[in-house]
Amino acid sequence: MTHTETGNYGWNKDMQIPLVKKLKDDLKKAMLGKNDPVRDAIRLVMGEYPSLTVPITLDSGKKTTRVKKPEEITDDDLLGIIRKLVKSEKTVLEIKQQDSSDYLEILESYLPKMATREEIADWIKENIDFSGFKNSMQAMGTIMKHFGKLADGNQVKQILQDLGK
């Protein structure tokens, strides 16, 4: 996929626009521009909306759920859906023995930028005192708490193993 094809698509928190609105706008733009890969990827994300539910209690006292209304859908809800689709696509690509796909690149353009190996390693060196842990792996929880979903747990584990040598 060329850079110009995905250049106008994607999202980040600095845009000051909810992700749900950006997806709608990008879908419209992709349809008008006849950009089928982007259109199809966004439609797959939107197809997951019914999985977003909120718990409710009926008049009878029975507990159930209902689908979230569009105005109730948060950026975190959508980022969770996109992460799930990215994970699924990576599994498919692994089976096909491919590195990437247009679909994966489009989905990833809507996710926050992941922390790089260097950023994680630098943060660990500046903030973690390994003398307080029996082994370096015990620092994993602290590190993951700091980076949240912006760091891959397997990558953090590998960095800790490398530092422990």
Side-chain angles (χ1 to χ4, degrees):
M1 176 172 288
T2 61
H3 182 66
T4 53
E5 286 182 62
T6 58
N8 299 327
Y9 300 101
W11 178 85
N12 65 53
K13 287 189 186 305
D14 300 334
M15 289 183 166
Q16 304 297 313
I17 179 173
L19 181 52
V20 69
K21 176 149 180 28
K22 180 69 168 125
L23 283 169
K24 268 187 198 171
D25 294 348
D26 285 358
L27 177 62
K28 188 175 180 181
K29 190 170 29 167
M31 289 169 76
L32 291 172
K34 299 195 182 335
N35 190 334
D36 294 348
V38 173
R39 179 201 66 200
D40 295 345
I42 294 172
R43 281 184 172 168
L44 281 167
V45 172
M46 290 179 159
E48 293 290 322
Y49 285 8
S51 68
L52 301 172
T53 59
V54 288
I56 58 170
T57 304
L58 301 174
D59 293 338
S60 65
K62 183 178 179 198
K63 295 188 184 299
T64 186
T65 59
R66 68 163 173 77
V67 175
K68 284 189 174 184
K69 297 175 185 150
E71 61 272 9
E72 295 175 321
I73 297 174
T74 66
D75 292 345
D76 287 340
D77 290 337
L78 292 176
L79 291 173
I81 286 174
I82 295 169
R83 281 189 184 97
K84 184 176 80 175
L85 293 172
V86 164
K87 187 175 181 181
S88 170
E89 178 66 4
K90 283 182 177 178
T91 303
V92 169
L93 290 172
E94 206 173 285
I95 292 167
K96 290 181 175 179
Q97 296 181 343
Q98 295 175 344
D99 292 332
S100 189
S101 68
D102 290 353
Y103 174 59
L104 181 64
E105 288 178 28
I106 294 163
L107 288 176
E108 286 181 335
S109 72
Y110 290 94
L111 291 174
K113 190 175 141 313
M114 296 294 278
T116 64
R117 182 178 177 83
E118 291 74 33
E119 290 169 339
I120 296 168
D122 290 345
W123 188 88
I124 291 170
K125 287 173 187 161
E126 290 172 21
N127 298 285
I128 300 293
D129 176 16
F130 287 107
S131 65
F133 300 104
K134 288 181 183 164
N135 65 49
S136 61
M137 283 301 143
Q138 289 183 328
M140 183 101 179
T142 309
I143 298 163
M144 291 307 294
K145 189 173 183 182
H146 171 76
F147 284 100
K149 293 182 178 165
L150 298 180
D152 176 26
N154 291 329
Q155 187 178 41
V156 172
K157 182 179 174 186
Q158 186 63 50
I159 293 168
L160 286 172
Q161 287 171 343
D162 293 346
L163 289 173
K165 290 177 183 171

